[in-house]
Short mmCIF file of all heavy atoms in Angstrom, two decimals:
data_model
loop_
_atom_site.label_atom_id
_atom_site.label_comp_id
_atom_site.label_asym_id
_atom_site.label_seq_id
_atom_site.Cartn_x
_atom_site.Cartn_y
_atom_site.Cartn_z
N ILE A 170 -8.51 0.26 -5.44
CA ILE A 170 -7.63 -0.36 -6.33
C ILE A 170 -6.35 0.52 -6.54
O ILE A 170 -6.49 1.69 -6.31
CB ILE A 170 -8.22 -0.77 -7.72
CG1 ILE A 170 -8.62 0.50 -8.42
CG2 ILE A 170 -9.30 -1.71 -7.60
CD1 ILE A 170 -9.03 0.23 -9.90
N SER A 171 -5.30 -0.11 -7.02
CA SER A 171 -4.10 0.68 -7.23
C SER A 171 -3.30 0.04 -8.37
O SER A 171 -3.60 -1.09 -8.81
CB SER A 171 -3.15 0.82 -6.00
OG SER A 171 -2.46 -0.40 -5.82
N ILE A 172 -2.33 0.72 -8.92
CA ILE A 172 -1.43 0.23 -9.90
C ILE A 172 -0.01 0.10 -9.24
O ILE A 172 0.59 1.19 -9.10
CB ILE A 172 -1.35 1.18 -11.18
CG1 ILE A 172 -2.77 1.18 -11.77
CG2 ILE A 172 -0.40 0.67 -12.15
CD1 ILE A 172 -2.91 2.19 -12.95
N PRO A 173 0.46 -1.08 -8.98
CA PRO A 173 1.83 -1.23 -8.48
C PRO A 173 2.72 -1.27 -9.61
O PRO A 173 2.53 -1.80 -10.65
CB PRO A 173 1.77 -2.65 -7.82
CG PRO A 173 0.36 -3.12 -7.90
CD PRO A 173 -0.29 -2.33 -8.97
N PHE A 174 3.94 -0.66 -9.29
CA PHE A 174 5.00 -0.71 -10.37
C PHE A 174 6.37 -0.46 -9.63
O PHE A 174 6.40 0.23 -8.53
CB PHE A 174 4.84 0.33 -11.44
CG PHE A 174 4.88 1.70 -11.05
CD1 PHE A 174 6.02 2.54 -11.05
CD2 PHE A 174 3.66 2.40 -10.61
CE1 PHE A 174 5.94 3.87 -10.64
CE2 PHE A 174 3.69 3.69 -10.15
CZ PHE A 174 4.86 4.42 -10.24
N GLY A 175 7.47 -0.94 -10.21
CA GLY A 175 8.76 -0.74 -9.51
C GLY A 175 9.80 -1.48 -10.17
O GLY A 175 9.72 -2.02 -11.30
N VAL A 176 10.90 -1.68 -9.46
CA VAL A 176 12.09 -2.43 -9.90
C VAL A 176 12.58 -3.41 -8.84
O VAL A 176 12.23 -3.32 -7.71
CB VAL A 176 13.22 -1.38 -10.16
CG1 VAL A 176 12.85 -0.48 -11.29
CG2 VAL A 176 13.61 -0.66 -8.91
N GLY A 177 13.32 -4.38 -9.34
CA GLY A 177 13.85 -5.34 -8.44
C GLY A 177 15.12 -6.10 -9.07
O GLY A 177 15.41 -5.88 -10.29
N VAL A 178 15.73 -6.93 -8.29
CA VAL A 178 16.76 -7.80 -8.82
C VAL A 178 16.63 -9.12 -8.03
O VAL A 178 16.28 -9.17 -6.89
CB VAL A 178 18.13 -7.12 -8.54
CG1 VAL A 178 18.45 -6.90 -7.11
CG2 VAL A 178 19.29 -8.03 -9.20
N LYS A 179 16.90 -10.28 -8.76
CA LYS A 179 16.84 -11.48 -8.01
C LYS A 179 18.01 -12.39 -8.60
O LYS A 179 18.54 -12.23 -9.70
CB LYS A 179 15.53 -12.19 -8.39
CG LYS A 179 15.00 -12.19 -9.82
CD LYS A 179 13.58 -12.70 -9.91
CE LYS A 179 12.99 -12.51 -11.35
NZ LYS A 179 11.65 -12.96 -11.39
N LEU A 180 18.53 -13.27 -7.63
CA LEU A 180 19.65 -14.03 -7.78
C LEU A 180 19.50 -15.40 -7.21
O LEU A 180 19.03 -15.58 -6.08
CB LEU A 180 20.84 -13.30 -7.11
CG LEU A 180 22.24 -13.95 -7.22
CD1 LEU A 180 22.77 -13.92 -8.70
CD2 LEU A 180 23.21 -13.33 -6.33
N ASN A 181 19.83 -16.48 -8.09
CA ASN A 181 19.76 -17.81 -7.61
C ASN A 181 20.90 -18.19 -6.59
O ASN A 181 21.97 -17.78 -6.78
CB ASN A 181 19.85 -18.77 -8.71
CG ASN A 181 18.64 -18.69 -9.77
OD1 ASN A 181 17.56 -18.27 -9.24
ND2 ASN A 181 18.77 -19.10 -10.92
N ILE A 182 20.47 -18.89 -5.57
CA ILE A 182 21.51 -19.40 -4.55
C ILE A 182 21.82 -20.89 -4.89
O ILE A 182 22.99 -21.28 -4.74
CB ILE A 182 20.89 -19.30 -3.14
CG1 ILE A 182 20.62 -17.80 -2.82
CG2 ILE A 182 21.82 -19.87 -2.18
CD1 ILE A 182 21.85 -16.92 -2.89
N ASN A 183 20.78 -21.63 -5.24
CA ASN A 183 21.04 -23.07 -5.59
C ASN A 183 19.98 -23.39 -6.57
O ASN A 183 19.21 -22.60 -7.09
CB ASN A 183 21.16 -23.99 -4.38
CG ASN A 183 19.93 -23.90 -3.46
OD1 ASN A 183 18.85 -23.71 -3.87
ND2 ASN A 183 20.13 -24.01 -2.21
N SER A 184 19.71 -24.77 -6.69
CA SER A 184 18.74 -25.27 -7.70
C SER A 184 17.27 -24.99 -7.26
O SER A 184 16.34 -25.21 -8.10
CB SER A 184 18.85 -26.79 -7.89
OG SER A 184 18.60 -27.47 -6.73
N ARG A 185 17.04 -24.56 -6.02
CA ARG A 185 15.66 -24.28 -5.60
C ARG A 185 15.42 -22.89 -4.95
O ARG A 185 14.32 -22.40 -4.87
CB ARG A 185 15.26 -25.28 -4.60
CG ARG A 185 14.93 -26.65 -5.23
CD ARG A 185 14.02 -27.45 -4.45
NE ARG A 185 13.44 -28.53 -5.18
CZ ARG A 185 12.49 -29.39 -4.77
NH1 ARG A 185 12.05 -29.27 -3.54
NH2 ARG A 185 12.06 -30.34 -5.55
N ILE A 186 16.52 -22.20 -4.54
CA ILE A 186 16.35 -21.00 -3.69
C ILE A 186 16.86 -19.75 -4.45
O ILE A 186 17.96 -19.86 -5.05
CB ILE A 186 16.96 -21.11 -2.33
CG1 ILE A 186 16.26 -22.28 -1.57
CG2 ILE A 186 16.91 -19.80 -1.54
CD1 ILE A 186 16.88 -22.56 -0.18
N ALA A 187 16.08 -18.72 -4.38
CA ALA A 187 16.58 -17.42 -4.98
C ALA A 187 16.35 -16.34 -3.91
O ALA A 187 15.42 -16.41 -3.16
CB ALA A 187 15.85 -17.06 -6.26
N ILE A 188 17.17 -15.27 -3.94
CA ILE A 188 17.01 -14.14 -3.07
C ILE A 188 16.93 -12.88 -3.95
O ILE A 188 17.30 -12.87 -5.17
CB ILE A 188 18.18 -13.97 -2.02
CG1 ILE A 188 19.51 -13.83 -2.79
CG2 ILE A 188 18.14 -15.09 -1.11
CD1 ILE A 188 20.64 -13.59 -1.82
N GLY A 189 16.42 -11.81 -3.33
CA GLY A 189 16.34 -10.50 -4.25
C GLY A 189 16.10 -9.34 -3.42
O GLY A 189 15.87 -9.34 -2.09
N LEU A 190 16.01 -8.19 -4.02
CA LEU A 190 15.59 -6.93 -3.50
C LEU A 190 14.56 -6.34 -4.44
O LEU A 190 14.63 -6.49 -5.61
CB LEU A 190 16.81 -5.94 -3.40
CG LEU A 190 17.90 -6.26 -2.46
CD1 LEU A 190 19.16 -5.32 -2.66
CD2 LEU A 190 17.50 -6.00 -0.96
N GLU A 191 13.63 -5.60 -3.77
CA GLU A 191 12.51 -5.05 -4.68
C GLU A 191 11.97 -3.68 -4.00
O GLU A 191 12.00 -3.58 -2.76
CB GLU A 191 11.38 -5.99 -4.77
CG GLU A 191 10.23 -5.47 -5.67
CD GLU A 191 9.17 -6.59 -5.95
OE1 GLU A 191 9.43 -7.51 -6.70
OE2 GLU A 191 8.05 -6.39 -5.38
#
Side-chain angles (χ1 to χ4, degrees):
I170 62 171
S171 77
I172 299 175
F174 63 94
V176 297
V178 61
K179 46 191 175 182
L180 180 68
N181 293 336
I182 298 300
N183 57 34
S184 64
R185 286 205 165 184
I186 296 176
I188 59 173
L190 291 170
E191 184 173 288

